Amino acid sequence: MAKGGGNKSFVLRVDAATMEALEQWADDEFRSINGQLQWIIADALRRSGRLKKQETSRSIRELAASYGLEVDPDALVDKLTIGQRQRVEIVKLLYRKADILIFDEPTALLTPQESDALFDVLRRLRDLGKSTIFITHKLREVYQIADRMTVIRQGRIIGTTTPQETGMEKLTQMMVGKTVPAGRRQPHPIGEEVLRVQDLSVRSRAGIALQDITFSIRAGEVLGVAGIEGNGQTPLAQALLGLCRPASGSILLSGQELSRRTAKQIRDAGVGSIPDDRQGMGLILSMRIFENLLLNTYDEKPYARNALMEDWAAARRDAQARISEYSIAAADGSVVVGTLSGGNQQKIVVARELSRGCRMLVAAQPTRGVDIASADNIQNRILDAAREGCAVLLISSDLDELIKVSDRIMVLFRGRIMGFVDADEATREGLGRMMLGEAH
């Protein structure tokens, strides 16, 4: 366990370079699988040389069955669910006779049901003599699966304990160095309708990404969006932000049509964005912190006049205030963003969007890769924006976050709305079933 920026992944990479037993490790993005989507599983699992398909398939079936894993060697990887792809990754490691398996945030893209299935597999691997290093920010998972827990903070081991010896509150203190309050949204007035999406459809190269979805968000309301990644969340955010053109339907912001406006026009209308890809869409890594904080306001007063930058001193001064306010681990605003940890990069995006004020906020995975204390801070800032009248669309793969922050939760499955659930009545298990296509 480690807070964001605790150097756990760096330690992981060093170990992998020095221990033959750690030939590969499964991570939350399944990168090694995604690069082989057109290979059948049997081919993806070949260690070297050319093996006969029938012989390879049989050996893979036998290996998978011996560990309680269901894998079809003849299936195409790009037709599998995220949970099934993860099982392929585990079988690949076992096929290579690895005795130590390392998982870095392996449940980030899984439903609660798929996470439970993964934990069953890990317990079976343990019982059969395999060792597992399980890296996660999610305390619930630690107490479900761990025999021992080691906490890393700022590159140093803080301590090693067991679930029986240390409670969740104490473990949180070890991770972040202080007590984190267990906050939750407080009731506040919900105002008039700010956003109305009507019969919205979006096409992608693969076909229909969103099909005839209709919903609304009121001032002060947080509408959470749940769904296994790849079920329409990204096209929805892109359509709302003017990054893709809808095939049909309308997007109304306080009665004004947005579906044909540019991204800049939508931003100027008061729509803020926390993108799920902070490095690709939210930041310019080669630029400094204060420059990234200006990306939405570089052409506005007090920084500029007639689109020409004039007051760099004000930009640096305001950046320093944001660094302090959002606990960004940097000496000053002149630090190049690409040198920061992922968690601190995310704080810069959040600071830029929330500090400018907005009528509506589209927040996609706002706390991914962020430590517990910072995640709590970001969630509270989103709630503060809602209390000030901002309408919030919160897209998150963390169901606990959705239940904590949202007023209502909308579940997407294959580009369609499966239903809406009041957050006070929502459960992780119920949301998980809807994410798998069961009607509410």
Side-chain angles (χ1 to χ4, degrees):
M1 304 253 348
K3 63 178 287 187
N7 292 333
K8 59 189 183 302
S9 295
F10 175 76
V11 172
L12 224 165
R13 287 193 290 271
V14 171
D15 286 347
T18 58
M19 299 172 62
E20 291 185 5
L22 306 180
E23 296 187 40
Q24 288 194 23
W25 48 281
D27 65 13
D28 56 328
E29 299 294 338
F30 313 119
R31 293 184 182 89
S32 58
I33 289 181
N34 289 339
Q36 306 172 41
L37 292 183
Q38 301 307 316
W39 292 71
I40 61 172
I41 293 176
D43 286 336
L45 291 172
R46 292 181 306 172
R47 184 168 188 177
S48 61
R50 296 185 62 84
L51 300 177
K52 294 182 179 179
K53 177 181 176 182
Q54 186 174 3
E55 177 184 343
T56 305
S57 295
R58 183 174 62 253
S59 64
I60 291 169
R61 287 184 189 276
E62 292 174 354
L63 175 67
S66 68
Y67 286 96
L69 294 164
E70 294 183 7
V71 170
D72 178 7
D74 300 315
L76 288 171
V77 176
D78 63 352
K79 303 299 183 184
L80 302 180
T81 67
I82 296 295
Q84 291 170 330
R85 293 183 190 184
Q86 190 176 63
R87 288 197 289 273
V88 174
E89 193 75 345
I90 295 172
V91 173
K92 185 192 298 184
L93 295 173
L94 296 174
Y95 189 80
R96 295 175 175 178
K97 303 186 185 302
D99 292 320
I100 303 174
L101 287 75
I102 301 179
F103 295 85
D104 190 0
E105 305 284 359
T107 64
L109 307 181
L110 303 184
T111 66
Q113 289 82 356
E114 289 174 321
S115 296
D116 290 340
L118 171 64
F119 296 155
D120 288 340
V121 170
L122 296 185
R123 293 185 188 99
R124 181 169 177 79
L125 291 173
R126 176 195 60 194
D127 295 342
L128 293 173
K130 300 292 183 181
S131 298
T132 299
I133 299 174
F134 189 92
I135 301 171
T136 182
H137 287 99
K138 300 178 181 179
L139 298 184
R140 181 197 302 271
E141 296 179 350
V142 176
Y143 287 89
Q144 282 184 268
I145 194 66
D147 296 305
R148 288 186 298 134
M149 309 179 297
T150 295
V151 176
I152 301 175
R153 188 173 76 242
Q154 296 180 343
R156 297 178 179 274
I157 292 179
I158 301 303
T160 297
T161 183
T162 68
Q164 294 75 29
E165 295 173 333
T166 304
M168 193 173 294
E169 182 177 348
K170 175 61 177 176
L171 191 66
T172 301
Q173 286 182 315
M174 293 173 66
M175 291 174 63
V176 302
K178 61 182 180 180
T179 300
V180 178
R184 187 178 174 85
R185 72 189 189 287
Q186 299 296 322
H188 60 271
I190 302 298
E192 297 181 352
E193 183 176 278
V194 173
L195 177 76
R196 171 158 289 277
V197 174
Q198 188 70 41
D199 298 327
L200 182 69
S201 294
V202 176
R203 295 183 182 275
S204 67
R205 293 179 180 179
I208 299 293
L210 285 175
Q211 188 163 357
D212 298 326
I213 69 169
T214 297
F215 66 91
S216 64
I217 312 176
R218 296 179 175 276
E221 182 182 27
V222 179
L223 177 64
V225 179
I228 300 172
E229 293 203 16
N231 278 269
Q233 300 96 313
T234 298
L236 172 59
Q238 290 176 339
L240 294 177
L241 296 169
L243 300 176
C244 72
R245 187 63 61 87
S248 61
S250 63
I251 302 171
L252 300 176
L253 182 70
S254 299
Q256 299 294 315
E257 180 63 57
L258 296 184
S259 61
R260 295 297 182 265
R261 293 194 185 185
T262 66
K264 185 178 186 307
Q265 289 172 334
I266 291 174
R267 184 201 77 186
D268 291 343
V271 179
S273 167
I274 302 174
D276 55 1
D277 180 6
R278 58 175 168 261
Q279 294 190 346
M281 297 296 292
L283 297 165
I284 301 176
L285 299 182
S286 60
M287 293 177 66
R288 293 165 289 185
I289 293 174
F290 80 89
E291 293 167 326
N292 274 275
L293 289 172
L294 286 171
L295 291 179
N296 282 342
T297 55
Y298 66 92
D299 57 348
E300 300 175 4
K301 294 181 179 181
Y303 310 119
R305 182 179 300 168
N306 298 324
L308 296 176
M309 193 72 191
E310 291 191 350
D311 196 344
W312 290 102
R316 292 176 184 273
R317 185 170 58 250
D318 289 349
Q320 196 62 43
R322 299 291 88 76
I323 288 171
S324 176
E325 182 181 0
Y326 286 82
S327 301
I328 299 169
D332 56 50
S334 297
V335 175
V336 175
V337 167
T339 65
L340 300 176
S341 69
N344 283 298
Q345 291 175 0
Q346 182 73 334
K347 292 177 189 177
I348 294 171
V349 177
V350 173
R352 182 182 66 223
E353 299 301 316
L354 295 186
S355 62
R356 63 188 287 257
C358 47
R359 296 162 63 190
M360 177 186 163
L361 174 68
V362 179
Q365 314 296 347
T367 62
R368 177 177 286 175
V370 175
D371 64 82
I372 294 173
S374 296
D376 184 73
N377 181 276
I378 290 170
Q379 290 164 355
N380 285 331
R381 291 185 182 279
I382 290 174
L383 290 171
D384 287 342
R387 279 189 283 269
E388 293 171 3
C390 181
V392 179
L393 184 78
L394 173 63
I395 301 171
S396 179
S397 58
D398 186 340
L399 298 185
D400 290 328
E401 177 174 69
L402 289 176
I403 293 171
K404 173 184 176 181
V405 178
S406 305
D407 294 291
R408 293 183 297 141
I409 300 173
M410 176 176 73
V411 181
L412 292 179
F413 176 71
R414 294 180 179 175
R416 293 179 177 271
I417 296 176
M418 292 302 299
F420 295 85
V421 181
D422 188 279
D424 289 328
E425 300 173 358
T427 64
R428 298 175 73 256
E429 293 71 25
L431 292 173
R433 288 192 294 270
M434 293 176 69
M435 290 164 62
L436 293 172
E438 293 186 20
H440 176 56

